[in-house]
Amino acid sequence: AHSLLTTKNCIHGPKFLIYVSGALSMWGDRMWHFAISVFLIELYGRNLLLTAVFGLVVAGSVLLLGALIGDWVDRNPRNKVAHASLFIQNISVTVCSIVLMLVFSYKQKIEQIWDGWLTVVCYTVVIILADVANLASTALTIAIQRDWIVVITGYNRGHLAGMNATMRRIDQVTNILAPLAVGQVMTLASNVVGCGFILGWNLVSLIVEFFFLSRVYRIVPALSVKPPMVEVDQAFLQSSTARPQSLTEGNCNSRVHLKEIANLPLCFRRFRWLVSTCKDGWRAYYRQPVFLAGMGLAFLYTTVLGFDCITTGYAYTQGISGSLLSLLMGVSAITGLMGTVMFTRLRKTYGLVNTGIISSCIHLSCLLLCVCSVFAPGSPMDLSLLINQPLLPDRSSIHWTNNTVLFDNVPSGTAPESYISIILLFLGVITARIGLWSFDLTVTQLLQENICESERGVVNGVQSSMNYLMDLLHFIMVISAPQPHHFGILVIISVLFITTGHTMYFLYAHKAKRKSHLNT
């Protein structure tokens, strides 16, 4: 009876509700991100142009609006932020799915209307809706995973580490299973059925997540308490010249200056407020004690050493089959889970800052295998070809198929002279995920513990912007050196960026330890 009561309490407890809500949200996100890239390729005649535009729009919008999203999260009640983000995200995906179903079903008729301009309108609507969904997803992630979890655990560092690790494990599992599920539906049925499947999932998920998050908000009274913020919108509209008082302590300074801009016209005041909020958000990020740790994590995004379309495309050119690649992705998910387990144990034994140092060393040590793969037998790297490479590669020399790049000059499935290079590469990438995810969780918790409550949203919004900025750099790298014999150079540049990121963390750790010694 006691065990039944404990189980019932766990199921109805806030942690379980957050895990289920998070799992549903992550599953929907992963399905959508996989499906939209495939849909855009299919729509544009198996050309990557639309996917590239979409990637640029998504990265650019988060880069520009990250601080504003975070500021909005800070200034509004937690339940309103979560519900609004959830509603906007799911409805955007639902409407986008309906548009895609119509385009796939009536593609030929649509192409004949307005001399084909209706097709362009449809593509634009799809990309805008998908981008809005991504922005809402960013807001929801900041709200739940960077704020709610901290409050739910009662600021207990051990419980916080456990919840962070569990959320990351859920993310790892859904990252593998969700694209597989929607991919099977699209393959066995059709793209229209795939859109319908995602549409149905989002509507059901919206209702369940809304109910679960509302319940969590009710049973954790601390969530309804939030540091009061100045209602800047109303102040601007009323042209108020009153000075806002500082309502937070420590580093949490007011981010608005109403007096200087009260006399400007409304549209200019709005624009000035937007610019000021972004600027002050970046300033708030810079003055955080964990600034170097956050920057270190962002630098890890400039890499080709992951299971994205770049690495899988290169693997195809080296004779690795699709089935073997999916198996390797599964193994990488397992090593990622091992990283989350290692994080909780290291943190308990050595403390959070030391866990980051150990994780960094493990990550860098494993990546040395990737560097060795560049010079190992079977590596296609040829530096002489890079010198003669035209500035813009001929688009006809590259085929794109369902997120995978296949090159004409190295046909898919062609066996290289030796498999040693590709084995070392994937051995390094897979084992490095243990250190990577442990390090990621370390920095995440450092941000949670060290950012004051009233700035938690804006600082995490800027962190998201930094992550997207560094991710954009890695795509620019690939565009600059797109052929398989250039991949070795990309590997070396990636390792240099990652080393720089970990060096930033070491500097942070050194400062943190010196500060703790001075305090004791």
Side-chain angles (χ1 to χ4, degrees):
H2 176 71
S3 61
L4 282 172
L5 188 64
T6 307
T7 307
K8 188 178 179 182
N9 288 337
C10 283
I11 291 172
H12 291 286
K15 287 187 180 181
F16 178 79
L17 295 173
I18 286 288
Y19 292 150
V20 175
S21 176
L24 288 170
S25 180
M26 289 172 197
W27 187 282
D29 276 355
R30 293 291 180 266
M31 280 202 311
W32 176 243
H33 287 152
F34 172 80
I36 189 68
S37 59
V38 176
F39 290 154
L40 290 173
I41 291 168
E42 292 287 339
L43 281 176
Y44 207 65
R46 293 186 176 267
N47 183 295
L48 202 69
L49 179 64
L50 276 185
T51 310
V53 170
F54 171 64
L56 191 65
V57 168
V58 165
S61 57
V62 176
L63 182 60
L64 293 172
L65 303 176
L68 290 173
I69 291 169
D71 183 74
W72 174 73
V73 171
D74 282 336
R75 287 191 298 106
N76 291 281
R78 288 188 173 96
N79 61 333
K80 287 185 178 179
V81 167
H83 291 160
S85 303
L86 188 64
F87 184 80
I88 293 167
Q89 180 195 5
N90 284 275
I91 293 302
S92 296
V93 172
T94 300
V95 175
C96 193
S97 297
I98 292 169
V99 174
L100 283 167
M101 288 171 77
L102 291 171
V103 172
F104 279 124
S105 300
Y106 305 103
K107 195 167 187 292
Q108 291 182 341
K109 290 182 180 178
I110 290 171
E111 285 173 350
Q112 294 170 2
I113 299 172
W114 300 346
D115 295 326
W117 280 103
L118 183 58
T119 310
V120 176
V121 171
C122 290
Y123 293 160
T124 307
V125 168
V126 165
I127 289 172
I128 290 170
L129 287 171
D131 184 45
V132 169
N134 185 71
L135 291 172
S137 175
T138 302
L140 189 63
T141 301
I142 292 170
I144 304 299
Q145 295 186 30
R146 303 291 183 267
D147 182 31
W148 281 46
I149 284 177
V150 183
V151 178
I152 288 166
T153 55
Y155 299 85
N156 181 299
R157 293 180 177 184
H159 293 165
L160 181 59
M163 279 201 82
N164 283 332
T166 304
M167 291 296 280
R168 193 51 49 88
R169 286 166 198 153
I170 293 168
D171 187 44
Q172 285 287 294
V173 172
T174 54
N175 200 22
I176 296 299
L177 298 180
L180 191 65
V182 74
Q184 288 298 313
V185 172
M186 287 157 58
T187 304
L188 297 174
S190 66
N191 287 331
V192 175
V193 176
C195 290
F197 180 70
I198 291 169
L199 188 154
W201 178 276
N202 272 274
L203 290 176
V204 173
S205 178
L206 172 61
I207 296 164
V208 176
E209 287 181 67
F210 192 93
F211 174 75
F212 279 16
L213 292 178
S214 298
R215 182 163 177 77
V216 170
Y217 188 79
R218 282 199 306 272
I219 61 180
V220 182
L223 286 170
S224 59
V225 181
K226 207 171 185 183
M229 300 292 291
V230 179
E231 289 294 331
V232 290
D233 287 350
Q234 292 177 12
F236 283 145
L237 289 170
Q238 295 165 5
S239 300
S240 171
T241 55
R243 290 176 182 269
Q245 295 181 354
S246 178
L247 300 169
T248 51
E249 298 176 0
N251 288 327
C252 306
N253 301 321
S254 177
R255 298 192 292 274
V256 292
H257 312 283
L258 303 179
K259 193 171 180 180
E260 347 175 324
I261 52 176
N263 297 323
L264 291 171
L266 180 61
C267 59
F268 286 110
R269 268 183 278 150
R270 283 287 188 182
F271 179 73
R272 181 70 181 268
W273 172 72
L274 291 173
V275 173
S276 177
T277 303
C278 286
K279 187 172 68 176
D280 291 338
W282 284 89
R283 279 180 183 166
Y285 178 71
Y286 176 72
R287 71 167 181 266
Q288 296 301 318
V290 288
F291 164 71
L292 281 172
M295 282 293 290
L297 178 63
F299 265 70
L300 268 57
Y301 279 76
T302 309
T303 179
V304 295
L305 301 172
F307 280 91
D308 59 3
C309 58
I310 311 298
T311 311
T312 51
Y314 173 74
Y316 271 114
T317 68
Q318 298 304 295
I320 304 298
S321 66
S323 57
L324 179 57
L325 261 178
S326 60
L327 184 66
L328 291 172
M329 286 179 74
V331 175
S332 77
I334 294 167
T335 56
L337 292 172
M338 287 167 62
T340 64
V341 174
M342 187 180 80
F343 163 75
T344 51
R345 292 186 178 178
L346 287 176
R347 194 208 63 83
K348 200 177 287 183
T349 310
Y350 300 105
L352 193 59
V353 175
N354 287 332
T355 298
I357 294 171
I358 297 166
S359 303
S360 293
C361 294
I362 293 170
H363 189 209
L364 287 170
S365 300
C366 294
L367 290 179
L368 288 176
L369 292 170
C370 299
V371 177
C372 292
S373 76
V374 175
F375 307 100
S379 173
M381 189 172 79
D382 187 348
L383 292 175
S384 63
L385 291 170
L386 184 64
I387 299 165
N388 302 319
Q389 174 71 17
L391 184 63
L392 293 172
D394 178 18
R395 202 186 84 187
S396 62
S397 67
I398 303 176
H399 297 302
W400 297 89
T401 311
N402 289 5
N403 240 15
T404 305
V405 58
L406 307 173
F407 300 87
D408 275 352
N409 53 355
V410 185
S412 174
T414 302
E417 295 175 8
S418 172
Y419 284 101
I420 294 174
S421 175
I422 197 74
I423 289 169
L424 283 173
L425 177 72
F426 277 100
L427 195 61
V429 169
I430 290 169
T431 54
R433 296 182 88 78
I434 299 172
L436 172 65
W437 289 119
S438 180
F439 179 77
D440 181 276
L441 283 167
T442 301
V443 177
T444 297
Q445 185 149 344
L446 283 168
L447 291 169
Q448 289 169 329
E449 288 182 8
N450 291 281
I451 300 167
C452 69
E453 194 173 354
S454 65
E455 287 186 335
R456 208 174 275 154
V458 74
V459 172
N460 278 291
V462 174
Q463 181 67 49
S464 296
S465 295
M466 279 303 306
N467 296 347
Y468 270 96
L469 174 63
M470 301 311 288
D471 194 37
L472 267 178
L473 285 182
H474 115 266
F475 282 111
I476 293 168
M477 276 165 41
V478 175
I479 291 166
S480 304
Q483 299 295 340
H485 45 260
H486 301 153
F487 192 77
I489 300 159
L490 300 182
V491 169
I492 293 167
I493 294 171
S494 298
V495 172
L496 287 174
F497 267 98
I498 291 166
T499 305
T500 305
H502 286 306
T503 304
M504 287 179 175
Y505 181 82
F506 294 148
L507 289 171
Y508 159 76
H510 176 69
K511 284 183 179 179
K513 286 185 174 184
R514 192 173 62 184
K515 189 178 178 182
S516 66
H517 284 314
L518 290 172
N519 291 338
T520 53

